[in-house]
Amino acid sequence: MPADRDRAHHHAHAESSRMPMWAAIALTIVTGGLVALQSRVNGELARELADFSVAAAISFGSGLAILVLLAAVWPEGRRGLVRLRGALRAGRLAWWMLLGGVAGAWFVATQGLAAGVLGVALFTVAFVAGQTLGGVVFDAIGLGPGGRRPLSPTRIAGAALALVAIGWAVSAQVAGAVPIWLMLLPFSAGIGASWQQAMNGRVRTASASALAATLMNFLVGTAVLVVVMLAHAASVGWPIAFPTAPWLYAGGAIGCVFIAAQAVLVRRVGVLVLALGLVAGQLAAALALDLLLPTSARPVGFATVGGTVLALVAVALASIRWRPARHLAAEAGPTVTTEEAGEVTSGR
């Protein structure tokens, strides 16, 4: 029947996963810590170079070089690229779903522009505010590879609590001399990151390869950042000297790991829980970095610590399964949810 075909097409991307939910959430939190670490690395590189565009291009370009090398030596990665091309030709994947790297490029650019000035903790809480709002919207409309995940009371409460946590964490610093416009940069990057995670998850599902999805993300992002770098250099010139500390060039390698992890995890946990898990990991890692290796003169206050703890509570709350998210597979069949299917295959 036409209606059945329409429903099958709408949920063709809603695959189950064998990964237990608790393991997926734990990996999401660890992945969030890597995002905060990359923010520190890229922010410091931009400060050393006094040029955000070159720092961003180096980060994405080095990641692309790593992924191209992996694809060259790993046959499964090349097969994933072939499957991706087939999905595009068959119409199972829209061309604009390959553009997740544009949002990634903007995120890396904002790291260079704002992370060194705001500090990693303040930069991160503004970023994850955008992530949380983006996760709510994109889950509700079914943009991610797990299909629509209607908002349950626990998801709504978790998202609201995360926003309260973020507001608390930044309240003391916003009251100071922090320019509000500068905080809008990571906030907008956070919304873009949620969209990027959904797109990369779609690409990963179509290609059955995290490497193919990550490679496409870095290819698009590098192209955008090279154009920005050339335009910026034409107006202000190139950096006079490049720093010699090897760790300043690790941003691309870190990005390869967390982009691939997000592409895999978003199918299991959904865009919202992925965003909140990343919130928890980013805030915890950012707080540790600002306490142990501060980059600004502003001390880390009680509000930042309390907001980080509250964010951890938020991700736990949003992960509680309140009731089935209804997905009608067929008019005559039983109601089955994406999350229920994942629980059956994972043994939960």
Side-chain angles (χ1 to χ4, degrees):
M1 294 176 63
D4 293 334
R5 286 195 299 270
D6 290 343
R7 276 188 290 268
H9 176 75
H10 181 73
H11 295 294
H13 58 276
E15 301 179 12
S16 61
S17 171
R18 295 183 179 276
M19 183 182 298
M21 182 62 80
W22 67 266
I25 292 173
L27 288 174
T28 298
I29 294 173
V30 173
T31 301
L34 292 177
V35 177
L37 179 61
Q38 191 202 43
S39 294
R40 166 58 61 89
V41 171
N42 287 344
E44 283 296 297
L45 179 60
R47 187 179 66 80
E48 292 282 343
L49 292 172
D51 192 319
F52 80 94
S53 64
V54 173
I58 288 174
S59 178
F60 250 78
S62 61
L64 178 61
I66 293 171
L67 293 167
V68 169
L69 180 60
L70 285 176
V73 301
W74 190 22
E76 179 56 31
R78 296 194 297 273
R79 286 192 287 269
L81 292 172
V82 171
R83 289 190 293 268
L84 178 58
R85 183 176 61 182
L88 287 169
R89 287 180 174 178
R92 296 191 303 273
L93 187 73
W95 65 268
W96 53 268
M97 293 179 180
L98 300 178
L99 301 182
V102 175
W106 175 237
F107 170 53
V108 173
T110 61
Q111 288 176 331
L113 285 167
V117 178
L118 296 175
V120 177
L122 190 55
F123 175 91
T124 299
V125 293
F127 174 76
V128 299
Q131 269 189 310
T132 302
L133 292 178
V136 170
V137 173
F138 299 144
D139 255 0
I141 65 178
L143 194 62
R148 284 189 67 250
R149 295 172 185 258
L151 293 178
S152 66
T154 51
R155 284 173 178 264
I156 295 173
L161 190 60
L163 293 176
V164 171
I166 292 162
W168 186 17
V170 303
S171 59
Q173 290 162 295
V174 170
V178 175
I180 298 298
W181 70 266
L182 197 59
M183 292 185 62
L184 292 177
L185 297 182
F187 177 79
S188 65
I191 295 176
S194 287
W195 179 77
Q196 177 192 23
Q197 290 151 13
M199 294 302 96
N200 289 346
R202 289 289 193 104
V203 175
R204 192 265 177 189
T205 298
S207 64
S209 170
L211 176 59
T214 310
L215 177 58
M216 289 306 304
N217 180 88
F218 272 80
L219 180 62
V220 172
T222 299
V224 171
L225 288 172
V226 166
V227 172
V228 172
M229 178 184 67
L230 293 176
H232 189 256
S235 61
V236 302
W238 295 95
I240 299 175
F242 286 80
T244 57
W247 68 271
L248 291 173
Y249 301 94
I254 297 170
C256 290
V257 176
F258 75 68
I259 291 296
Q262 290 173 15
V264 174
L265 293 168
V266 68
R267 182 182 60 174
R268 181 68 180 101
V269 302
V271 181
L272 175 58
V273 175
L274 176 65
L276 294 182
L278 293 173
V279 165
Q282 287 174 77
L283 286 177
L287 179 60
L289 286 169
D290 271 3
L291 286 172
L292 299 175
L293 300 169
T295 59
S296 66
R298 288 185 298 276
V300 176
F302 174 75
T304 302
V305 178
T308 301
V309 174
L310 198 59
L312 292 169
V313 175
V315 69
L317 180 61
S319 303
I320 297 174
R321 185 168 168 270
W322 176 266
R323 63 176 57 183
R326 297 182 180 276
H327 281 283
L328 292 178
E331 292 179 357
T335 300
V336 180
T337 71
T338 300
E339 292 182 353
E340 287 174 332
E343 290 167 6
V344 170
T345 57
S346 65
R348 266 183 39 194

